[in-house]
Amino acid sequence: MGRREQREQIFKLLFRIAFHEKEDMPEQLRLFFETADEETADSDREYIAGKYERIIEKLPEIDGLLNKRAEKWTTDRMGKAELTILRLAVYEILYDEQVPVGVAINEAVELAKKFGQDNAKAFVNGILAGFASRGTGE
């Protein structure tokens, strides 16, 4: 599985946060891999689960930064798919040194095209432009 496919799986897993309580997420993680459409290699499973856990740890901080950056928007007003895409991308931009900023933004836009609403591509790209230089996002 390539990085793009892994990223899409992480997106799908993170998307479940919008519909489940925090304490239900370990079970959701287990179910996610049990019900996968295809067999997931152990290395892919480890990468996906590990990155998911690291993102979860940073969610309050990421959401705080999104609320500061997204003019006239707050995370509770954003579409669930768009919010999930932004959370993943902001994590990659600010905390994942293995992912170049341009790649994180491009991949987020691709996810927005696939899973977001009609205007999601522009919305996601616009917000992420403010995070383009690695740092605190402030």
Side-chain angles (χ1 to χ4, degrees):
M1 183 180 296
R3 288 287 186 227
R4 179 169 280 183
E5 291 85 10
Q6 289 173 334
R7 186 176 285 106
E8 187 172 312
Q9 295 304 308
I10 294 165
F11 162 79
K12 289 176 180 179
L13 186 54
L14 285 171
F15 188 71
R16 293 178 179 218
I17 292 171
F19 303 99
H20 299 281
E21 298 296 324
K22 183 178 180 178
E23 52 274 357
D24 295 334
M25 291 312 295
E27 177 70 7
Q28 288 300 311
L29 180 63
R30 185 185 64 74
L31 289 171
F32 179 79
F33 289 115
E34 279 184 9
T35 60
D37 291 337
E38 58 187 63
E39 185 67 30
T40 306
D42 287 343
S43 60
D44 291 326
R45 184 182 298 240
E46 288 175 21
Y47 178 83
I48 292 165
K51 190 163 186 173
Y52 162 79
E53 293 292 341
R54 290 188 299 277
I55 294 169
I56 294 298
E57 290 174 12
K58 296 285 188 183
L59 268 189
E61 187 176 336
I62 291 169
D63 285 356
L65 292 170
L66 283 169
N67 284 324
K68 285 182 186 177
R69 286 280 180 184
E71 293 180 25
K72 302 179 185 174
W73 285 91
T74 57
T75 53
D76 61 335
R77 288 188 57 223
M78 293 177 190
K80 290 175 179 25
E82 290 78 11
L83 175 58
T84 303
I85 293 164
L86 288 168
R87 286 171 164 171
L88 174 56
V90 169
Y91 174 83
E92 289 185 335
I93 290 168
L94 298 179
Y95 306 108
D96 192 338
E97 294 183 9
Q98 293 183 352
V99 179
V101 173
V103 170
I105 293 171
N106 183 58
E107 291 295 322
V109 170
E110 291 301 316
L111 286 170
K113 287 180 194 176
K114 186 170 184 176
F115 296 104
Q117 298 176 22
D118 290 340
N119 62 346
K121 176 179 132 179
F123 179 74
V124 165
N125 193 45
I127 291 176
L128 293 179
F131 290 93
S133 62
R134 288 198 194 262
T136 63
E138 296 182 36

